[in-house]
Amino acid sequence: MASTGERRDPYRGFKFRVQIDGIQRAGFREVSGLDSATDPIDYRVGDDKTVTISKLPGLKKFANITLKRGITDDLDLWKWRKQVMDGKIKNARKNGSIILMDDEGNDAAQWDFVAAWPTKWTGPTYNATANEVAIDTLELTHEGLDRTK
């Protein structure tokens, strides 16, 4: 079947940036966890003569977003995690975006998350025989995800 429209190649997954409360963080190696799900609820009316069970939408759930980056002297993300560890969760909630760019560096797709806070930090693995960048991982829990572009 021939397409009548303009060809649209898929975007590549290696050109992206992360913004957290408007602060752009470059240098992330990997972002994962852009995931939403709605639990199905089985429902059957007691006087229904059929044996079919209806499926109703239940709770919406969002996976944690995982950010991996090379360690630098920038401590902003660590300070954000420390706010949570110190029990200051009210001030720690932040909104953010993951923005995918096209080959020319233009914004192509965007996922916005709301009320996020760092639930887990994992430090790098050190190996004296390896030739790799030291990577730390920050896991964010959040209360909503939307694709806005």
Side-chain angles (χ1 to χ4, degrees), residues 19-91:
Q19 291 179 346
I20 300 171
D21 259 354
I23 300 168
Q24 187 165 306
R25 293 283 170 215
F28 284 101
R29 173 180 176 162
E30 184 179 330
V31 174
S32 61
L34 297 177
D35 185 356
S36 71
T38 303
D39 287 335
I41 298 172
D42 291 347
Y43 179 74
R44 182 171 181 264
V45 177
D47 64 354
D48 189 356
K49 298 196 183 338
T50 66
V51 291
T52 304
I53 293 177
S54 298
K55 300 285 185 175
L56 303 175
L59 295 174
K60 293 182 288 187
K61 296 190 298 187
F62 303 98
N64 288 348
I65 295 172
T66 302
L67 306 172
K68 293 184 180 184
R69 70 178 188 148
I71 293 180
T72 68
D73 60 355
D74 179 0
L75 294 176
D76 287 346
L77 294 176
W78 172 255
K79 289 176 183 176
W80 186 27
R81 171 67 186 136
K82 187 144 175 30
Q83 269 186 302
V84 175
M85 291 188 302
D86 292 345
K88 299 175 183 168
I89 187 67
K90 183 177 179 183
N91 297 328

Side-chain angles (χ1 to χ4, degrees), residues 108-136:
Q110 180 170 326
W111 292 265
D112 297 329
F113 54 88
V114 295
W117 52 273
T119 184
K120 182 179 180 184
W121 173 83
T122 305
T125 300
Y126 299 110
N127 182 342
T129 63
N131 188 18
E132 299 173 355
V133 171
I135 302 294
D136 68 353

